[in-house]
Every structure is written in C-alpha cells, then in structure tokens.
Amino acid sequence: MNNIADHGVRFGRIAAMLPVKDMTKAYDFYANVLGFQKILENGNPVGFMILKRDRGELHLTLQPSHKAADFNVAHLMVDDVDALHTVCRQYGLRIIKSLQHKNYGLRAFVFEDPDGNRIDVGQPI
C-alpha cells in the first residue's frame, strides 16, 4: 500500500446502490427472480430497501425519474455463472454482453435489471 493512503482505516463491505423507478417492481424482480431477501425498508412509501442473499447485498433507492446509465453499475460474483445466465434468459432479461471466458480469469456476462441497471456477473475460471 502506498504511504499516502496508509492511514490505518480498515474498510468493511461496500454495497451497490441501485436506483429504481418502482420499488415494488424492483423488489419483485430481485426477490422472485434472483432470490434476494429484504432485510430493511425505509419510508412510506418505501424509498430505500436493503436486500441480501448469501454474502451479496444490494441497496435499492427510489428514483422515479431514473434514466439508466450505459455502463455497468454493479459487479456480482457467483459460484455458477452459467446457471444465473440461464435464469436471466428464462426471464427475458436483456443480455448486454454474452457469457464468455474473459482473459482476466472470469467467466462472465452482463444483464440489465428491469430498471435498465447493468449488472456484470462473473465466476472465477
């Protein structure tokens, strides 16, 4: 580590914050398609939600005028990228980058969630 940034602070988890237009629709997708569980919601109507599955955690924030970025906003490591790719195709999700072996040691693909958020999914080869 370089001396400038060696301040002694240790970092914990960092969770992706995904903007969504409709919290109910987003929750239905992440819970029913990807299997995440809600561990916290805040607001009435709900404007913020934390979802968790295994060691993965996502934070959803209600942004009714959200316009999706044209780049990946989150990276998800899984233990069976082929199975998740199949799930994404079965549910008709848009696949941005096809499933393939990458020269940096991952088998990976990119899909869009219902709000257009691009999620990069990988598994070590």
Side-chain angles (χ1 to χ4, degrees), residues 55-71:
R55 291 178 44 208
E57 186 173 311
L58 291 173
H59 295 189
L60 305 181
T61 180
L62 183 62
Q63 302 293 318
S65 60
H66 167 62
K67 290 187 179 20
D70 61 355
F71 52 84

Side-chain angles (χ1 to χ4, degrees), residues 28-46:
D28 285 345
F29 168 72
Y30 282 100
N32 297 325
V33 176
L34 298 186
F36 281 81
Q37 293 183 336
K38 179 180 4 177
I39 61 171
L40 178 114
E41 66 180 24
N42 190 14
N44 186 12
V46 176

Side-chain angles (χ1 to χ4, degrees), residues 87-119:
V87 168
C88 289
R89 292 190 66 210
Q90 286 174 338
Y91 283 91
L93 299 176
R94 183 172 175 221
I95 304 295
I96 303 298
K97 291 186 181 178
S98 63
L99 182 62
Q100 56 190 282
H101 282 72
K102 301 293 188 173
N103 62 1
Y104 44 84
L106 292 180
R107 182 160 170 75
F109 73 100
V110 177
F111 74 91
E112 279 185 349
D113 75 2
D115 287 285
N117 296 307
R118 293 181 178 190
I119 314 293

Side-chain angles (χ1 to χ4, degrees), residues 81 106 120:
V81 72
L106 292 180
D120 182 12

Side-chain angles (χ1 to χ4, degrees), residues 13-18 50 57-59:
R13 70 168 172 76
I14 296 176
M17 174 76 76
L18 300 179
I50 297 176
E57 186 173 311
L58 291 173
H59 295 189

